[in-house]
């Protein structure tokens, strides 16, 4: 469990490893060059500033449109999860972790309980 890890550092490390591997494949003689590393870091900085959508999923269900149109205030929709099961943490629709709901300063939050490794996360995002 990596609930206390800094996810940004993990992403940066994984992306750096991937960039270094690609650079080594393209031109192994210049891999040690400081200029190449500076260019790689600049590329990484651009990627790290791209916003992504982070969402938490409590559960899912399928209902016919007829039932959807009959929903009103107070209606209850049964989901495919049991009470107390962890929520899915999604980045741009891709599962990257599980967590539990917490309240922080009167707002909902999520405590990550199980996080995929950086390599698994990158693989799923491809």
């Amino acid at each position: 469990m990596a609930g206390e890890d800094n996810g940004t550092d993990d992403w940066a490390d994984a992306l750096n490893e991937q960039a270094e591997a690609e650079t080594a494949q393209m031109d192994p003689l210049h891999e040690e060059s400081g200029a190449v590393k500076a260019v790689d870091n600049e590329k990484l900085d651009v990627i790290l500033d791209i916003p992504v959508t982070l969402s938490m999923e409590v559960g899912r269900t399928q209902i016919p449109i007829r039932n959807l149109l009959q929903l009103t205030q107070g209606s209850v929709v049964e989901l495919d999860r049991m009470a107390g099961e962890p929520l899915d943490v999604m980045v741009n629709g891709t599962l990257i972790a599980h967590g539990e709901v917490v309240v922080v300063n009167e707002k909902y939050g999520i405590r990550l309980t199980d996080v995929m490794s950086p390599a698994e996360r990158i693989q799923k995002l491809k």
Side-chain angles (χ1 to χ4, degrees), residues 58-111:
V58 176
R60 293 181 182 204
T61 194
Q62 289 188 342
I63 62 173
I65 293 175
R66 176 182 329 282
N67 294 8
L68 176 67
L69 295 173
Q70 294 172 350
L71 293 177
T72 62
Q73 185 174 351
S75 295
V76 175
V77 177
E78 185 176 344
L79 301 176
D80 62 352
R81 295 246 174 111
M82 301 295 292
E85 279 190 59
L87 281 66
D88 290 340
V89 179
M90 316 284 276
V91 172
N92 289 346
T94 301
L95 177 69
I96 60 129
H98 295 285
E100 59 191 17
V101 177
V102 295
V103 177
V104 181
N105 297 328
E106 299 182 18
K107 293 184 179 181
Y108 287 113
I110 188 162
R111 176 180 294 121

Side-chain angles (χ1 to χ4, degrees), residues 2-118:
E4 301 298 321
D5 288 352
N6 184 345
T8 304
D9 290 342
D10 291 341
W11 279 102
D13 291 344
L15 291 170
N16 272 330
E17 288 176 19
Q18 183 179 2
E20 288 173 7
E22 289 172 357
T23 301
Q25 289 175 347
M26 292 183 337
D27 191 358
L29 297 176
H30 292 88
E31 182 181 0
E32 299 302 317
S33 166
V36 171
K37 294 223 182 242
V39 169
D40 286 345
N41 286 337
E42 288 175 18
K43 289 179 185 176
L44 182 60
D45 286 341
V46 171
I47 292 171
L48 292 176
D49 290 334
I50 296 173
V52 295
T53 300
L54 182 69
S55 60
M56 302 345 143
E57 186 174 285
V58 176
R60 293 181 182 204
T61 194
Q62 289 188 342
I63 62 173
I65 293 175
R66 176 182 329 282
N67 294 8
L68 176 67
L69 295 173
Q70 294 172 350
L71 293 177
T72 62
Q73 185 174 351
S75 295
V76 175
V77 177
E78 185 176 344
L79 301 176
D80 62 352
R81 295 246 174 111
M82 301 295 292
E85 279 190 59
L87 281 66
D88 290 340
V89 179
M90 316 284 276
V91 172
N92 289 346
T94 301
L95 177 69
I96 60 129
H98 295 285
E100 59 191 17
V101 177
V102 295
V103 177
V104 181
N105 297 328
E106 299 182 18
K107 293 184 179 181
Y108 287 113
I110 188 162
R111 176 180 294 121
L112 301 180
T113 57
D114 183 31
V115 180
M116 294 182 184
S117 72

